[in-house]
Amino acid sequence: SYLTANLPESTLSYRQDLSEEARHKAEDSVQDALVSFYPAVSRLAESGKPLTRDNELPLLREEYNAWIQQLSWSETALRLVAFSGMLAAFFLLCGLFIHYQYDQQLVTDTAQLFRLLGTLVVTCFLCSYTSSDPVRAEVVPLVLCAITLTIAFGRQIALLVTTCLSLTITLGLGLDIGEFVTLCSGTCAAALLLGRIRTRTKLIYVGLAAGAIVALTHLGVDTVIGKLHAVVPPETIGESTDGVTPEVPRHWANLLPGLIQESLRLGGFTLLAAALMTGLLPFVERIFAVQTDLSLLELGDASHALLRQLAQRAPGTYNHSINVAAIAEAAADSIGAHGLLTRVGAYFHDIGKMFKPNYFIENQEQDGNCHDTLQPAMSTLVIIAHVKDGADLGRQHRLPKRIIDFIEQHHGTTLVEYFYREAAKRSQNDPNKEEVSETSFRYPGPKPQTLEAAVLMLADSVESASRTLVEPTSSRIQSLVDQIAMKKLLDGQFDCCGLTLQQLDQLKSSLVKSLTAIYHGRVKYSGQASA
């Protein structure tokens, strides 16, 4: 207390407001430091040293923007015209190739063409958005585009279009040849490795493989173009004549970890794109009206509403469809067609019979035939109607277009022979002798437009006909299949599907093998005949 009482009186106090005012005055008094950079003279970044987001990258970006701003309007217009002309040339060549060599319908189908062009435009915008310096993830939209186009249009179109798109992105974003090769490796690997998607993990495996290819490609191409070139170690260099030690690029062993890290980053982005496509797959299928094997497996489930109705109303037709599906899938696989698609199409090809099941032989009981009381022409109309009824029923239940095509094309324009011959026989016995026209006894078509539809037509016919064989031995089945196949061929039913004679021969062999396995010989046990 004695010391406190003898302390001098305080005459100073801290003023926060005056301190802040003095600090602001000191800041304002500091002059801006201006640094001039001269083209081809000033150094913006050190050679052989990784660029940083805090110093070199912003400076290089500002330098590029300043160069763009100092261009005259004529130079800007010339660059725009040149770039637009290059894009037009690229995609015009793509369109000509698709039109003349691959799929003419894709170019003439306005809806599909707009979907394709829309995918490319969206990919360009996403690449521009994801190409900012901290991220540099333009490989993600490109790989997504490659997988989408492969699913929707096939490998050839995907490879061609994404290669041109990678070149466009490279030039548009100012990338170098190494980055173009890396982007192409990602798109090509994704398209080539994709194949048929039968499991939910398929896209993940594709992403892992494509990511490894992208990482190795980036590492290799950067080595080739000199980003890891060997340099002289600093200790072997003395001082220059002006007394300043020259700056030496870092040794390749010091640059390798950064390059490996960048390669792994790009590989990870490729895997990320495949993982994203796993969730986007249902939307891609709906937008482009396509079905992967995964969706076909779900569609071919026996618990589907239409298949359950068919089994309840027309059990004979349902069993016939199951048998046709089994032999048609094997036959389609034997010629390289889509076996799973053929099998699912066979499940639904006769759903129109559920409206009048008793008018078809496989559903009739032994009490009598409904056609005995009808004229042949009327019976033909009832039989033919199941095609239109089935197509309408499929549309009501939103079946995919490719499945509805099976329903409409599985009979083509074939002749309903039984009732045509019956009508011809009655015409001969008629004193008026009115001539019977084949046209009235033919299905409306169209003829099979794909290999899968042709396989289903043939499998449907031989399965039905084989039921009439008393003793379905291998030789009799062979003769029956040959006869039916030749009749379809001579009738022109395979004219629109591209089926070759060699493929037709392979189809017949597969069908004979499958039917022989179904109707194989059985041992007759004692007492079986009396039972």
Side-chain angles (χ1 to χ4, degrees):
S1 61
Y2 174 77
L3 294 175
T4 306
N6 289 277
L7 287 176
E9 185 178 354
S10 175
T11 58
L12 297 176
S13 63
Y14 178 74
R15 293 283 301 274
Q16 177 71 26
D17 54 342
L18 295 178
S19 299
E20 288 295 323
E21 183 180 353
R23 186 174 65 83
H24 287 305
K25 287 181 179 180
E27 289 179 354
D28 295 338
S29 64
V30 176
Q31 298 293 329
D32 293 334
L34 300 179
V35 180
S36 300
F37 292 91
Y38 301 97
V41 176
S42 300
R43 182 178 61 189
L44 299 180
E46 297 179 7
S47 174
K49 182 179 179 180
L51 301 176
T52 62
R53 291 194 297 267
D54 298 330
N55 298 320
E56 290 87 1
L57 281 177
L59 190 59
L60 292 172
R61 179 63 62 186
E62 290 296 330
E63 188 271 342
Y64 176 75
N65 292 334
W67 176 74
I68 292 295
Q69 291 175 3
Q70 62 89 28
L71 292 176
S72 64
W73 69 268
S74 58
E75 291 174 323
T76 304
L78 183 61
R79 282 168 50 86
L80 180 61
V81 170
F83 190 72
S84 301
M86 179 197 66
L87 293 182
F90 283 161
F91 293 102
L92 178 61
L93 291 176
C94 291
L96 291 175
F97 172 81
I98 295 171
H99 180 73
Y100 289 111
Q101 298 294 332
Y102 187 71
D103 187 3
Q104 182 177 358
Q105 185 178 0
L106 174 59
V107 180
T108 56
D109 188 347
T110 305
Q112 285 291 77
L113 184 60
F114 272 109
R115 293 189 186 104
L116 174 59
L117 296 178
T119 303
L120 300 183
V121 172
V122 170
T123 302
C124 288
F125 277 110
L126 290 177
C127 286
S128 177
Y129 180 75
T130 57
S131 64
S132 57
D133 291 331
V135 182
R136 304 299 298 177
E138 57 271 9
V139 69
V140 175
L142 280 173
V143 173
L144 285 173
C145 178
I147 296 176
T148 300
L149 295 184
T150 304
I151 294 173
F153 305 108
R155 282 196 182 101
Q156 289 186 341
I157 292 181
L159 289 172
L160 176 66
V161 174
T162 54
T163 300
C164 292
L165 188 60
S166 298
L167 184 56
T168 302
I169 297 301
T170 301
L171 296 176
L173 298 179
L175 308 179
D176 58 22
I177 185 64
E179 290 167 307
F180 167 67
V181 174
T182 301
L183 294 178
C184 279
S185 68
T187 58
C188 293
L192 292 174
L193 295 174
L194 186 59
R196 293 165 62 176
I197 307 175
R198 294 184 70 102
T199 61
R200 298 186 183 277
T201 57
K202 177 63 179 291
L203 286 171
I204 302 299
Y205 293 142
V206 171
L208 286 172
I213 292 173
V214 168
L216 294 175
T217 300
H218 184 264
L219 185 62
V221 73
D222 277 4
T223 303
V224 169
I225 64 178
K227 292 186 179 181
L228 279 180
H229 63 283
V231 297
V232 180
E235 60 268 20
T236 63
I237 299 180
E239 291 187 354
S240 63
T241 57
D242 57 359
V244 179
T245 302
E247 184 179 351
V248 180
R250 300 175 66 185
H251 196 265
W252 67 268
N254 297 326
L255 296 174
L256 184 59
L259 183 56
I260 293 177
Q261 182 181 1
E262 178 67 12
S263 300
L264 293 177
R265 186 183 69 88
L266 292 174
F269 278 141
T270 305
L271 175 59
L272 175 63
L276 289 174
M277 181 53 69
T278 304
L280 295 174
L281 188 60
F283 302 100
V284 171
E285 291 180 333
R286 176 164 297 186
I287 292 173
F288 290 91
V290 295
Q291 291 77 43
T292 61
D293 284 6
L294 194 60
S295 59
L296 287 175
L297 288 171
E298 295 174 353
L299 185 62
D301 189 357
S303 63
H304 193 281
L306 279 177
L307 295 181
R308 285 187 298 175
Q309 292 179 27
L310 182 64
Q312 294 170 359
R313 298 183 183 182
T317 300
Y318 178 78
N319 291 326
H320 160 72
S321 300
I322 297 299
N323 290 336
V324 171
I327 65 176
E329 181 180 19
D333 288 335
S334 69
I335 62 171
H338 199 326
L340 178 59
L341 175 62
T342 309
R343 171 157 67 91
V344 176
Y347 287 154
F348 294 92
H349 79 284
D350 271 344
I351 56 174
K353 291 183 178 180
M354 71 173 68
F355 291 111
K356 297 182 176 65
N358 293 332
Y359 286 86
F360 298 91
I361 187 65
E362 65 267 21
N363 300 309
Q364 292 177 355
E365 299 178 357
Q366 302 194 3
D367 297 340
N369 193 330
C370 299
H371 295 283
D372 292 341
T373 59
L374 298 178
Q375 292 294 324
M378 183 59 66
S379 296
T380 301
L381 292 177
V382 174
I383 296 296
I384 290 176
H386 85 275
V387 172
K388 182 180 180 301
D389 293 340
D392 293 340
L393 192 61
R395 294 187 185 96
Q396 291 175 11
H397 285 75
R398 297 183 179 180
L399 290 182
K401 183 179 182 302
R402 291 200 293 179
I403 303 301
I404 296 176
D405 289 341
F406 280 109
I407 300 174
E408 294 177 334
Q409 299 172 17
H410 76 278
H411 281 296
T413 58
T414 54
L415 182 68
V416 185
E417 291 190 33
Y418 177 83
F419 293 112
Y420 171 72
R421 292 175 181 174
E422 185 68 21
K425 185 187 301 182
R426 295 187 182 186
S427 177
Q428 291 179 356
N429 297 331
D430 189 355
N432 297 327
K433 292 186 178 181
E434 183 179 351
E435 187 176 356
V436 178
S437 173
E438 274 193 12
T439 306
S440 303
F441 291 85
R442 284 188 176 272
Y443 283 93
K447 297 178 180 179
Q449 305 294 306
T450 61
L451 289 176
E452 290 79 10
V455 171
L456 178 59
M457 168 185 279
L458 194 56
D460 182 37
S461 299
V462 299
E463 199 281 334
S464 300
S466 62
R467 295 172 180 267
T468 63
L469 295 177
V470 179
E471 298 232 354
T473 61
S474 178
S475 59
R476 290 182 178 179
I477 291 175
Q478 177 74 57
S479 176
L480 177 67
V481 172
D482 289 340
Q483 179 183 359
I484 293 176
M486 184 58 64
K487 185 179 297 184
K488 303 288 185 187
L489 179 64
L490 296 179
D491 196 27
Q493 298 303 316
F494 303 138
D495 292 349
C496 302
C497 62
L499 184 69
T500 65
L501 293 177
Q502 181 182 8
Q503 290 174 327
L504 181 60
D505 188 63
Q506 293 172 342
L507 281 180
K508 293 191 295 183
S509 299
S510 176
L511 291 172
V512 169
K513 183 178 179 180
S514 298
L515 289 173
T516 303
I518 293 175
Y519 298 106
H520 63 276
R522 295 174 174 82
V523 177
K524 292 185 179 181
Y525 297 96
S526 58
Q528 183 179 10
S530 59

